[in-house]
Each structure stands twice: as C-alpha cells, then as structure tokens.
C-alpha cells in the first residue's frame, strides 16, 4: 500500500514539473495565471463526482470501488501519455536544457536542486514567493484530517461530508467563470496577498464551526476554497514569472523537491497533533496562515521594482 502511494506521488511530481513547464513556456506572462486557474479548476471540478463515488462505495464497498477507479485511471492516464507524446513538441528551451543536463545523474540532480533552493534564500525578490509556495503546500498536507475532524468532532454525517468536494468545486467554478473576469486587473502579488488574508479568515471560521451547524460549515468551506484557489493559481504563476527562461525547470523542480521532503515529516506530524488534540492541529494551520500574512508584507511591489529575471549564473 505504502509502495503504491509512494510510486503514485513520485510519478505525479515528475508530471507536475514537466507539464507545468510545458504549458506555460509559450504563454505570455500576463496570461499564465489564467492557465494555472484553468488547471486548478479542472482538478477541483472533479469534486462534483464525489457523491456518485459515495453511492458506488455504499453498494460495492471501498476496496472494489478504489480498485476499479485505479484500474480505469491507469488505462486513461496511459492513453493520455501516448496522446501527449504524439501531439506535443519539445520547446526550444527544453531542447537546450536536455543538452545541458544530458550527463547529469539522479543524485547529482537532487543535490543541484537543493543547492539551487538554498541559494534562492539570498534573492530578496524570490525568497518570499518560494516561502509562500512551500508553506501553503505544507498547509494542504496538514489538512489531511479535515474530513475526519468534521465527522468525529463536529458530528456531520457521511451524506453532508460527501458534498464538501461539491461545494469546493462549485465555488471554484463560480470564481473562475463569473467573479474573477469581472475583477479589476491587478498584479499577481496583490492577488496572492488577498488570497492569504481570505484563507486566514477561513481558518479562523473553521475553529468556530459549531457541532452540526451545516450553514457555518459550508460558509467556511466556500471561503477556504476561494482563498486556496486564488492562492494556488497566482502563487504558481508568480513563481514562474519571476524566473528566467532557462531557470523555470530547475527552480520549479527544486521547489517541488523541497515540498516533497517536507511532506515526509508532515504526515507524521499531522497524525501526532490530531491524536494529541484535534483542535491543536487546525490551530497550527491557522498559525501558518498568519506566518504567510507576515511573509506577504515582504512581497516586492511590482510598481516600484522592474520585473528583472533571475539568471542561471546568478543562482
């Protein structure tokens, strides 16, 4: 079970780095946030299928349902790989980087990624963006027990819990299709700051949900979904836009490596905190959001600084 989970997670990291670089390489800088928003909406939108999965699990059980989902998913992803390989071409930058790193081995690549990540701490404009990326991902890891908390501590039944992904998906779709297009265009830094504030409000409301109060539950979920969607969308776009043409793959993979490494102790830490005191776990999450609010103060103002790219030699 753990081996399968590890292989799936490792594969997803490879796909995430390569696919993110591929889809934004030829996209204009000011449109990259829209591309990430579409991807996040598609991923979150799958939550509308959760009630259907709940019905199937109720009739056939968890193991047969998950086995069927993984079997069908494996076939579909394999077909996707062949289609993607057939109809996509390597970018010019990708070909150049392949030549540069053709002799690099896995251990060397890992060491290089960690060294590159360490050097980013000396880049004043890049450091807060990277810290926001890593810490916000850590928060997602710590939220693993959220559904269990709703069931065990707040006494929500399975039917209510099954609609949580639906509420999240609908919120994201409304944001992308209705609300965001009507907002005044602002810098990515502004949207990241706003999303952190919104998520912090949601984390506070989370701790105040009365047992069995469905209205308060859904209100909190809507705020958290909106905050996380905006944060992930503009956070990734902001990081990509602040990296030079040749540094996107290296730095993005370095960040992904660090996030993967932080996920290793975070799983144990999550279980330990929840076992000790469930409320303490989500208090820690709130504290991390507050840390993000402090970090966002140091986000560079794009109106005062030019968007100078970070070169590979300087890193």
């Amino acid at each position: 079970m753990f081996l399968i989970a590890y292989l799936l997670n490792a594969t997803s990291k490879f796909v995430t780095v390569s696919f993110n670089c591929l889809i934004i390489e030829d996209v204009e800088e000011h449109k990259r946030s829209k591309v990430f928003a579409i991807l996040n909406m598609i991923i979150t939108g799958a939550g509308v299928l959760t009630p259907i999965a709940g019905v199937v699990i109720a009739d056939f059980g968890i193991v047969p349902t998950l086995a069927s989902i993984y079997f069908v998913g494996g076939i579909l992803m394999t077909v996707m790989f062949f289609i993607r390989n057939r109809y996509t071409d390597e970018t010019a930058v990708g070909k150049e980087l392949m030549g540069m790193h053709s002799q690099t081995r896995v251990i060397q690549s890992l060491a290089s990624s960690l060294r590159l990540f360490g050097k980013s701490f000396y880049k004043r404009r890049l450091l807060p963006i990277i810290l926001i990326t890593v810490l916000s991902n850590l928060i997602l890891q710590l939220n693993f027990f959220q559904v269990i908390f709703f069931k065990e501590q707040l006494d929500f039944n399975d039917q209510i819990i099954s609609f949580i992904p639906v509420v999240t998906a609908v919120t994201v779709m409304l944001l992308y299709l209705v609300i965001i297009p009507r907002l005044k265009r602002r810098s990515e830094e502004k949207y990241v700051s706003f999303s952190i504030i919104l998520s912090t409000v949601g984390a506070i409301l989370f701790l105040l949900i009365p047992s069995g109060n469905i209205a308060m539950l859904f209100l909190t979920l809507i705020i958290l979904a909106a905050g996380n969607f905006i944060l992930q969308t503009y956070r990734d776009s902001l990081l990509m836009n602040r990296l030079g043409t040749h540094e996107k793959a290296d730095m993005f993979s370095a960040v992904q490596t660090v996030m993967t490494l932080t996920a290793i102790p975070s799983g144990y830490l999550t279980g330990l905190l929840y076992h000790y005191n469930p409320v303490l776990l989500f208090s820690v999450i709130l504290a991390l959001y507050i840390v993000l609010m402090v970090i966002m103060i140091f986000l560079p103002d794009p109106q005062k600084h030019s968007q100078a790219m970070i070169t590979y030699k300087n890193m």
Side-chain angles (χ1 to χ4, degrees), residues 28-198:
E28 296 177 35
E29 182 175 314
H30 69 279
K31 292 182 179 179
R32 286 174 182 166
S33 58
K34 187 174 183 179
V35 173
F36 282 113
I38 293 173
L39 289 176
N40 289 332
M41 183 182 67
I42 293 173
I43 295 170
T44 308
V48 298
L49 302 176
T50 306
I52 299 176
V55 173
V56 176
I57 289 175
D59 291 338
F60 298 99
I62 295 178
V63 175
T65 301
L66 286 180
S68 301
I69 290 174
Y70 279 114
F71 178 75
V72 174
I75 295 176
L76 293 177
M77 284 188 285
T78 302
V79 172
M80 177 193 67
F81 293 150
F82 281 110
I83 294 176
R84 184 182 296 175
N85 183 67
R86 173 66 179 83
Y87 291 102
T88 57
D89 297 318
E90 183 60 75
T91 63
V93 175
K95 293 178 181 178
E96 187 176 343
L97 290 174
M98 287 170 63
M100 293 172 55
H101 300 292
S102 59
Q103 302 301 319
T104 304
R105 298 186 178 183
V106 175
I107 300 299
Q108 291 176 321
S109 178
L110 176 61
S112 177
S113 293
L114 295 176
R115 185 168 56 251
L116 185 63
F117 182 84
K119 289 183 178 180
S120 68
F121 279 71
Y122 297 97
K123 300 295 179 179
R124 185 177 178 182
R125 296 202 66 212
L126 190 58
L127 177 58
I129 301 172
I130 291 180
L131 289 178
I132 288 174
T133 302
V134 173
L135 288 179
S136 59
N137 183 77
L138 176 60
I139 290 173
L140 291 178
Q141 300 287 342
L142 294 179
N143 263 317
F144 180 78
F145 279 82
Q146 188 182 83
V147 174
I148 300 176
F149 182 80
F150 289 148
K151 184 176 179 62
E152 293 184 352
Q153 305 298 319
L154 299 183
D155 299 323
F156 291 108
N157 59 41
D158 295 340
Q159 186 176 6
I160 296 298
I161 292 176
S162 69
F163 276 93
I164 290 177
V166 178
V167 173
T168 301
V170 171
T171 301
V172 167
M173 291 179 181
L174 287 176
L175 266 175
Y176 179 77
L177 298 174
V178 180
I179 299 176
I180 291 181
R182 288 170 169 75
L183 294 177
K184 182 179 179 181
R185 183 177 174 182
R186 298 184 183 277
S187 67
E188 291 159 335
E189 286 87 351
K190 295 292 185 183
Y191 279 116
V192 168
S193 298
F194 171 73
S195 65
I196 291 174
I197 294 173
L198 194 62

Side-chain angles (χ1 to χ4, degrees), residues 221-234:
L221 290 173
I222 290 172
I223 294 175
L224 285 174
N228 288 329
F229 174 70
I230 298 173
L231 176 57
Q232 292 181 55
T233 296
Y234 288 96

Side-chain angles (χ1 to χ4, degrees), residues 10 95 196 201 208 214 221 227 241 313:
K95 293 178 181 178
I196 291 174
V201 172
L208 300 177
I214 299 176
L221 290 173
N241 288 342
K313 292 182 181 180

